[in-house]
Amino acid sequence: RRLMERIIKDSSDGVNAFDGLLKISEASQSAKQLFNTKVGNDLFNHADPTVVEAVQVLIAKHCADPSKIHSTTMEFSTQVGARTVHLEVVTTISPNERTDATQHDDGFAGCLILRDVTARRLYHERLRYLAEHDELTGLLNRREFAARLDVSKEARQIAVLDVERFSGVCATLGRDTGDDMLRTIATHLR
């Protein structure tokens, strides 16, 4: 028991262990600092509505089959000051262990682990942007433009622009001037 308490308290993730009454029984230092978690408080104090709903779904699953461990993973975003923080939440509800075969206990204990995945989310968004947009102009690249046209249900009109003597401009004035020219055209197209 002491080892588990120490593991929870020292975790860099926000860890909240809770009982069948949804009271927090253990909390990591990060959960206490980031989410103002206090041992003995209701689990749902200051909880995001999506987390509340996920826990309620797991409790319903536990009531339907109290012999199994039920778990779910989800993500949500919240504001911390002026910053948006993206969190991954792993919630697990486990049946209470029975110390005596004659005892009947339909109770449960749970654990809610919150991990800041903001850097990962921003990295994925940046990768997606780079995969869909031209690096120089910031406009959709050919593949993404065609993909969005394919899924569009609306009738569209497309204009094709040709910059006369563009290769001559690049050859005479240099690639940097040609790049500047493309950026300027892209700015006007937006």
Side-chain angles (χ1 to χ4, degrees):
R1 173 120 175 109
R2 287 184 187 171
L3 175 63
M4 194 53 126
E5 288 173 2
R6 189 87 236 148
I7 290 171
I8 290 172
K9 286 181 181 175
D10 292 344
S11 176
S12 61
D13 294 328
V15 179
N16 290 315
F18 58 93
D19 61 22
L21 299 174
L22 302 178
K23 298 282 186 194
I24 297 172
S25 54
E26 295 291 336
S28 67
Q29 285 302 109
S30 17
K32 290 176 182 177
Q33 290 170 350
L34 293 172
F35 308 107
N36 203 21
T37 299
K38 293 181 181 152
V39 172
N41 280 4
D42 288 334
L43 178 66
F44 294 155
N45 279 2
H46 312 296
D48 187 270
T50 53
V51 174
V52 172
E53 183 180 342
V55 171
Q56 290 171 335
V57 167
L58 289 179
I59 291 170
K61 287 181 179 181
H62 171 76
C63 290
D65 189 355
S67 65
K68 289 187 178 175
I69 295 172
H70 302 280
S71 186
T72 188
T73 302
M74 58 175 283
E75 287 189 18
F76 73 96
S77 301
T78 188
Q79 286 296 125
V80 176
R83 192 182 107 153
T84 300
V85 177
H86 304 283
L87 297 167
E88 176 184 74
V89 182
V90 179
T91 308
T92 304
I93 290 184
S94 304
N96 282 342
E97 291 182 8
R98 293 173 180 93
T99 55
D100 181 346
T102 61
Q103 288 181 323
H104 180 69
D105 185 0
D106 287 332
F108 62 86
C111 184
L112 193 128
I113 302 171
L114 297 114
R115 177 172 290 145
D116 186 342
V117 294
T118 304
R120 181 175 71 190
R121 171 77 70 90
L122 294 174
Y123 177 74
H124 285 281
E125 288 172 5
R126 180 71 180 145
L127 283 178
R128 183 180 307 112
Y129 179 86
L130 291 173
E132 296 173 351
H133 293 80
D134 177 72
E135 186 178 355
L136 180 66
T137 64
L139 297 174
L140 292 177
N141 61 29
R142 182 180 309 197
R143 184 182 66 247
E144 186 62 22
F145 182 75
R148 290 189 187 186
L149 279 178
D150 285 345
V151 297
S152 177
K153 306 263 189 247
E154 300 174 17
R156 304 274 182 182
Q157 293 182 354
I158 300 174
V160 178
L161 300 176
D162 183 25
V163 180
E164 292 291 324
R165 300 186 191 112
F166 180 70
S167 58
V169 169
C170 290
T172 306
L173 300 174
R175 204 38 95 187
D176 290 340
T177 302
D179 288 351
D180 289 341
M181 194 170 153
L182 286 176
R183 280 191 211 91
T184 301
I185 292 169
T187 300
H188 289 294
L189 289 175
R190 287 192 193 118

